[in-house]
Amino acid sequence: MPTATASQTIGPYWHLLEEKGWDDLTRFGPVPEGAARITLTGVVTDGDGAPVADGCVEVWQADPPASDDFLGWGRAATDAQGRYSFTTLKPGPVPGRGDARQAPHIAITLLARGLLKPLVTRAYFAGEALNDTDPLLAAIEDPARRDTLLAREAGDGVWQFDIRLQGEGDGRAETVFLDV
Amino acid sequence: MSRSGRLDDAARDPIPFRPFSPGTQPPYDAPAYLSTRARHPARPLVTAPHTVTETTGPCFTPSRFPALADISATDGRAAQGERIIVNGRVLDEDGRPVPHTMLEIWQANAAGRYAHLVDQHNAPLDPHFRGVGRVFSDEQGNWRIVTIKPGAYPWRNHANAWRPNHIHFSLFGQGFAQRLVTQMYFPGDPLLPLDPIFNSIPDAAARDRLISSFDLETTQPEYALGYRFDIVLRGRGATPFEDGEHR
């Protein structure tokens, strides 16, 4: 059998796909009881510290479980400053492999000109007790590197998660990207 | 995980997607494609064992995401250019069809210009061609679009650089880790050997599978030429040996 089809860059003109509202994961239905609406936002910068102004950021979360009112997926374009923003529901813990529990997280796919295949990372939430025992976070030994996966609360329900594609600078470390 | 239910024990050890075969995917750092210079990670990636996060994914339905399979005309007015029918199947690496999965497509018009503000190539826009479509594979993984053959266009990667004719494809498959964004090319395009994006894929056979084939069976008399483009998404579980054993 043939192997998986090769990836190619999404290029600079992918915005033709963009539709209003896809950055709001709560747009299909009411916020379920017990769920909290949050904003996940951040700035994407390259190895020169320049904003990635033509990026496509996609998020996926397995919790709250998908339903007709909640797809669990969204897409946002970065703006001229490299900023993206999503409205979503704060995820809870999900099972890991074996008996492990994973700390709440949102999976992120970054696609852009200059990326021949997607970059994948995860946004965890600073201050969650489960972060200390999350298997993926625990596998990253360097605390400065691990910190790149933590979104910080920047205001009421607003979580800041910057993404640095390459190198260090402006007080930012290269984001941990995942081989999935 | 049931669609409306909770994550249960079955979600604890989901069957992972298979690793990509060596050489069949492009690298992040491809010096001939200049835009990779400041955008590729310098650090090694961290391996993430597949959990429910990677093995499940969004379920797109035509009710929320309406299909648009014929983009060769707008409001009943035909776009300029050579009308073509592109069809194919979405399969996984075990040859199983991937049914009811969403495909997004976008492309330049026949003159090689995108209906996009950033594209300032001095070629005409076509008011009857927006260049964006969306289809869903059927039960057997089949899909089909009607469009216009896209033109080549210049870019500034190197001196006298032109992108070969191509159509962009975006697929989600059945899990987060099956996401695929790629480009379909056309047979016999003299620009292919010169294109750093196409040639970033190390394996020649993997490259060639991005080139569609002319398809006389799909071609409709007095209407449009047909092209075939099959898309393979990652399989699940271990890599099968040729004798059928798994490792």
Side-chain angles (χ1 to χ4, degrees), chain B residues 62-130:
Chain B
S63 58
R64 296 268 198 221
F65 299 88
L68 180 61
D70 184 348
I71 61 170
S72 68
T74 299
D75 298 330
R77 304 283 297 274
Q80 299 282 337
E82 180 186 347
R83 188 188 299 116
I84 59 173
I85 300 164
V86 186
N87 67 358
R89 288 181 87 190
V90 186
L91 303 166
D92 71 14
E93 288 176 298
D94 295 310
R96 285 186 289 251
V98 181
H100 312 303
T101 198
M102 186 169 82
L103 296 92
E104 299 173 295
I105 70 141
W106 71 105
Q107 61 168 92
N109 69 18
R113 180 144 176 205
Y114 288 85
H116 187 291
L117 281 177
V118 169
D119 187 358
Q120 294 298 314
H121 173 37
N122 181 20
L125 284 168
D126 181 344
H128 303 124
F129 191 75
R130 189 163 169 264

Side-chain angles (χ1 to χ4, degrees), chain B:
Chain B
M1 185 181 68
S2 66
R3 212 176 127 63
S4 59
R6 306 214 160 277
L7 297 163
D8 53 25
D9 287 348
R12 289 181 186 279
D13 281 305
I15 302 169
F17 290 107
R18 204 173 290 163
F20 291 109
S21 279
T24 63
Q25 297 292 326
Y28 289 111
D29 183 10
Y33 175 25
L34 299 188
S35 291
T36 67
R37 181 193 61 81
R39 292 188 168 190
H40 71 270
R43 303 268 204 149
L45 303 191
V46 170
T47 301
H50 287 187
T51 69
V52 65
T53 303
E54 289 76 29
T55 60
T56 63
C59 178
F60 297 96
T61 56
S63 58
R64 296 268 198 221
F65 299 88
L68 180 61
D70 184 348
I71 61 170
S72 68
T74 299
D75 298 330
R77 304 283 297 274
Q80 299 282 337
E82 180 186 347
R83 188 188 299 116
I84 59 173
I85 300 164
V86 186
N87 67 358
R89 288 181 87 190
V90 186
L91 303 166
D92 71 14
E93 288 176 298
D94 295 310
R96 285 186 289 251
V98 181
H100 312 303
T101 198
M102 186 169 82
L103 296 92
E104 299 173 295
I105 70 141
W106 71 105
Q107 61 168 92
N109 69 18
R113 180 144 176 205
Y114 288 85
H116 187 291
L117 281 177
V118 169
D119 187 358
Q120 294 298 314
H121 173 37
N122 181 20
L125 284 168
D126 181 344
H128 303 124
F129 191 75
R130 189 163 169 264
V132 189
R134 182 190 296 143
V135 288
F136 291 81
S137 62
D138 69 12
E139 195 68 38
Q140 281 75 45
N142 295 299
W143 56 271
R144 178 183 190 271
I145 58 168
V146 182
T147 182
I148 296 293
K149 189 170 181 187
Y153 58 84
W155 62 314
R156 292 175 182 168
N157 188 74
H158 54 274
N160 208 8
W162 293 76
R163 289 301 324 280
N165 306 337
H166 62 276
I167 300 178
H168 295 267
F169 279 77
S170 152
L171 292 90
F172 295 84
Q174 295 164 327
F176 175 77
Q178 252 184 343
R179 183 92 175 89
L180 173 70
V181 174
T182 190
Q183 299 180 24
M184 181 200 100
Y185 301 96
F186 289 85
D189 191 328
L191 293 170
L192 282 170
L194 308 174
D195 183 53
I197 293 178
F198 175 70
N199 289 292
S200 66
I201 304 155
D203 183 76
R207 270 199 306 274
D208 288 347
R209 286 199 290 113
L210 294 186
I211 306 173
S212 57
S213 53
F214 170 65
D215 184 7
L216 189 60
E217 266 183 48
T218 301
T219 298
Q220 285 186 16
E222 317 292 326
Y223 183 65
L225 293 187
Y227 288 89
R228 183 161 185 93
F229 183 53
D230 291 327
I231 298 167
V232 181
L233 302 180
R234 297 170 76 176
R236 288 197 194 247
T239 306
F241 283 123
E242 287 191 358
D243 60 8
E245 270 187 79
H246 287 63
R247 60 179 166 171

Side-chain angles (χ1 to χ4, degrees), chain A residues 26-102:
Chain A
T26 67
R27 70 190 182 282
F28 292 132
V31 173
E33 207 172 316
R37 185 184 262 133
I38 59 166
T39 298
L40 180 70
T41 185
V43 171
V44 186
T45 48
D46 70 11
D48 299 328
V52 172
D54 54 7
C56 171
V57 184
E58 295 177 352
V59 290
W60 159 247
Q61 55 190 85
D63 189 84
S67 71
D68 286 343
D69 290 339
F70 186 70
L71 183 65
W73 179 90
R75 173 185 283 158
T78 55
D79 67 14
Q81 284 73 47
R83 179 168 292 277
Y84 69 90
S85 185
F86 291 96
T87 301
T88 188
L89 302 177
K90 189 151 188 270
V94 293
R97 298 197 71 80
D99 289 330
R101 281 178 93 203
Q102 301 189 81

